[in-house]
Amino acid sequence: MASHSVEDIKRTSRGLRGTLRASLADPVTGALAEADQTLIKYHGSYQQDDRDLREERRRQKLEPAYQFMVRTRTPGGVLTPAQWLRLDGIATAYAERGLRITTRQAIQFHGVVKRELKTTMQALHAALLDTIAACGDVVRNVAVGANPHLSGVHAEVHALAAALSAHLLPRTRAWYELWLDEALVAGGEDTPEPVYGQAYLPRKFKIGFAIPPVNDVDVFAQDLGFIAIVEAGRVVGYDVAVGGGMGATHGDPETFPRLGDVLGFVAPERAIALAEAVVTTQRDWGNRAVRKRARLKYTIEDRGLAAFRAEVERRAGFALEPARPFAFAHNGDRFGWAEGEDGRVHLTLRIPAGRVWDREQPHQTGLREIARALLDVDGAQFRLTPNQNLVLANVPAALRTRVDMLAAAHGLDLHARATPARLDALACVALPTCGLAMAEAERHLPAFLDRFEALLERHGLRQAPIHLRISGCPNGCSRPYLGEVALVGKAPGRYNLMLGADHRGQRLNTLYRENVDEAAILAALDPLLARYAAECSEGERFGDFLVRTGIVADRSLRLELVA
Ligand code: SRM
Ligand code: SF4
């Protein structure tokens, strides 16, 4: 869709209402009217069709198998066991393929049909959740590091993230009117949007909070990243990074992944004002003519960091302080049990590609059982991680054995048996639901991992912690450009092989082989792994080795230049 038409649709939508009500009521088709397909994103849903069935339905002269993806707004991915049970019930009643934990700590449901969308939204609302601004040209689900070791600090950071998420929510009542039958605001069109204005943002906008030493949100991949600076167990403020993003288009040098620049330090009580200044600067400066160049990263490339900083400080009404030192150790999750400050324990479970579904293993049933066991436990949480995994947080020590037993009985104990590469791997959804997928990702991950592990084994590297990420297209939903090894989909069965990111989320990888099939990928990795096994220094990671030996370029964030 041409960029101007998305801008027109937003502007003329009367607060994101459009003709959605009529589209949803139309019994003749499973789809929405074209403009409403854009607008429904702001309500946290995408119209899709099952691509596995496209050809067959076309042959039968049927319309595509239209269905909807529904994405929750869950800042920091924090849920109670009761909410988990509700979500599980929604997945069972209205969706296909269970629940899907996303790389931004949300739950997605796939395969919801149009006539059941409203009931699905109402069921979410009954679980005290919503889907407002989960998609669209607005601030998306605010991501927060899920580090369970630092409960007190996490609570502080999470509270700020939740407040920021609420502050930056669209003000329109359209979601409540459409899905909950709230009385229409007279005329519908006059809801003021103090932050967004009637045309909302030029493009999606992502905010994430990282709590060093864990960079699980990949803070430098966010449009706006907050890095918690912790002294004596308290958050004294945040270093602020701007202009990160992953998306690119194959063959278009105008688009590229980019790491955020560190702008400076802000005190906690000023963080929301600062975020608003960054968002409104992007609202007014972002490129509304060319959608592919509309993200904040391009605004900063085009206008320069100094000009951007000056404008943000002018709007915020204060200057940023110099950035303070921080150090990230890793950007994956740490699995298994961890003890919190208060003696409670937390269990990080590996959920392959975030898909919770009773298909190969009874994972959905197992998590339902665990949620029931934790239902009455004060403070117990199901925390979704930005790496598609799940932390069972604040488990009383007395329940640890029971949770372990339930996890093992339902195949949820991968943390006790899988290789580091399998535990850390990310894959985006891709086929069959993603309309932009060029190749498989989530569905291809298990088979690729089998072969990748065999290769590692051959070189005595079975326990090597190599970050593998697969995306079905260059949009980069699994943040592949931050993978030590990454496959970026090009065509069915063919990928670009990217190599050499670090394990802290501070270095982008580099194209190593273009448009190759799996055999060629494994053949390219084979000699590199052989060399790594023979020549790496003590504790040296694969990505670091590839850069040190000059096999790929160093695309590290140069912190000393930007701080
Ligand atoms: Fe994404 C579009 C799935 C995280 C960059 N993303 C999509 C859509 C909605 C396809 C579409 O527009 O039709 C995908 C739906 C697939 C499906 O069937 O469910 C989709 N993105 C996902 C999820 C579910 C991937 C996952 O496997 O977990 C993640 C949901 C996050 C959430 O809960 O909000 C998801 N997407 C990301 C991330 C990672 C992140 O945010 O940390 C990125 C890279 C960071 C960034 O934004 O730069 C990402 N998604 C994109 C882009 C490229 C945007 C760009 O600036 O170029 C698109 C395409 C677009 O917006 O046009 C996209
Ligand atoms: Fe779809 Fe591409 Fe995102 Fe994968 S990276 S979910 S294929 S848009």
Side-chain angles (χ1 to χ4, degrees), residues 81-96 98-99 107 109 112 116 119-120 123-124 127 356 364 367-368 371-372:
Q83 285 177 315
W84 181 269
L85 288 176
R86 296 265 193 164
L87 292 171
D88 175 67
I90 292 169
T92 308
Y94 307 115
E96 291 170 354
L99 305 95
I107 292 289
F109 301 106
V112 180
E116 290 186 334
T119 330
T120 304
L124 280 166
V356 178
Q364 194 174 346
L367 288 171
R368 188 182 306 138
R372 285 185 183 141

Side-chain angles (χ1 to χ4, degrees), residues 383-401:
R383 283 187 198 166
L384 316 172
T385 84
N387 293 303
Q388 306 172 328
N389 296 309
L390 187 63
V391 183
L392 307 173
N394 299 324
V395 177
L399 279 180
R400 182 172 166 157
T401 310

Side-chain angles (χ1 to χ4, degrees), residues 100 102 108 110 203-204 206 246 295 433 477 479:
R100 176 57 156 70
T102 74
Q108 278 188 191
H110 291 102
R203 204 69 168 79
K204 58 175 71 167
K206 299 185 171 175
M246 293 279 101
R295 290 293 290 272
T433 51
C477 298
R479 300 187 291 270

Side-chain angles (χ1 to χ4, degrees), residues 449-459 462:
L449 270 170
D450 287 347
R451 284 165 214 139
F452 186 56
E453 274 180 348
L455 195 57
L456 292 176
E457 185 102 51
R458 182 148 15 109
H459 296 292
R462 189 172 166 78

Side-chain angles (χ1 to χ4, degrees), residues 55-136:
E55 205 35 49
E56 180 55 28
R57 291 187 65 99
R58 205 178 52 80
R59 264 202 298 274
Q60 294 186 18
K61 303 204 170 8
L62 294 168
E63 74 171 14
Y66 290 121
Q67 47 174 243
F68 292 79
M69 175 266 271
V70 174
R71 185 186 283 167
T72 61
R73 180 177 64 90
T74 32
V78 176
L79 299 166
T80 62
Q83 285 177 315
W84 181 269
L85 288 176
R86 296 265 193 164
L87 292 171
D88 175 67
I90 292 169
T92 308
Y94 307 115
E96 291 170 354
R97 303 200 295 143
L99 305 95
R100 176 57 156 70
I101 303 173
T102 74
T103 50
R104 294 196 70 75
Q105 300 173 295
I107 292 289
Q108 278 188 191
F109 301 106
H110 291 102
V112 180
V113 291
K114 188 172 88 169
R115 66 176 179 284
E116 290 186 334
L117 257 180
K118 191 165 173 176
T119 330
T120 304
M121 297 297 197
Q122 291 180 345
L124 280 166
H125 189 250
L128 305 180
L129 294 168
D130 63 55
T131 62
I132 300 171
C135 319

Side-chain angles (χ1 to χ4, degrees), residues 307-503:
F308 183 78
R309 181 206 309 265
E311 181 63 14
V312 166
E313 291 181 338
R314 189 186 69 73
R315 290 181 186 224
F318 57 83
L320 287 158
E321 294 173 36
R324 304 212 181 159
F326 60 84
F328 286 119
H330 60 86
N331 62 347
D333 291 335
R334 287 295 172 264
F335 295 92
W337 287 100
E339 195 156 335
E341 287 166 346
D342 49 7
R344 287 190 169 209
V345 286
H346 316 281
L347 176 61
T348 305
L349 295 175
R350 168 64 179 162
I351 309 293
R355 183 70 65 182
V356 178
W357 186 26
D358 285 352
R359 205 178 57 149
E360 272 127 37
Q361 302 271 331
H363 287 172
Q364 194 174 346
T365 304
L367 288 171
R368 188 182 306 138
E369 293 297 318
I370 292 174
R372 285 185 183 141
L374 296 177
L375 198 52
D376 297 323
V377 174
D378 191 33
Q381 293 171 339
F382 273 50
R383 283 187 198 166
L384 316 172
T385 84
N387 293 303
Q388 306 172 328
N389 296 309
L390 187 63
V391 183
L392 307 173
N394 299 324
V395 177
L399 279 180
R400 182 172 166 157
T401 310
R402 172 144 178 71
V403 169
D404 267 339
M405 277 170 52
L406 286 171
H410 296 89
L412 286 160
D413 56 350
L414 271 174
H415 56 277
R417 47 196 169 87
T419 61
R422 193 173 284 267
L423 289 175
D424 280 336
L426 294 182
C428 73
V429 177
L431 292 160
T433 51
C434 179
L436 305 177
M438 299 169 173
E440 296 279 356
E442 179 185 322
R443 294 196 298 195
H444 186 51
L445 182 68
F448 184 79
L449 270 170
D450 287 347
R451 284 165 214 139
F452 186 56
E453 274 180 348
L455 195 57
L456 292 176
E457 185 102 51
R458 182 148 15 109
H459 296 292
L461 293 169
R462 189 172 166 78
Q463 292 307 324
I466 297 178
H467 274 187
L468 168 75
R469 296 182 174 188
I470 307 183
S471 273
C473 84
N475 284 312
C477 298
S478 59
R479 300 187 291 270
Y481 310 107
L482 288 165
E484 289 178 287
V485 175
L487 275 52
V488 175
K490 199 85 212 263
R494 302 186 81 85
Y495 299 86
N496 283 354
L497 173 63
M498 317 283 302
L499 295 178
D502 68 357
H503 55 285

Side-chain angles (χ1 to χ4, degrees), residues 492-538:
R494 302 186 81 85
Y495 299 86
N496 283 354
L497 173 63
M498 317 283 302
L499 295 178
D502 68 357
H503 55 285
R504 292 170 305 173
Q506 295 183 178
R507 186 173 62 229
L508 292 172
N509 54 22
T510 306
L511 179 63
Y512 188 70
R513 289 280 185 276
E514 197 171 356
N515 196 16
V516 283
D517 63 13
E518 191 182 86
I521 291 166
L522 295 169
L525 287 171
D526 194 22
L528 299 178
L529 290 168
R531 242 189 104 177
Y532 174 57
E535 296 172 28
C536 71
S537 45
E538 180 71 27

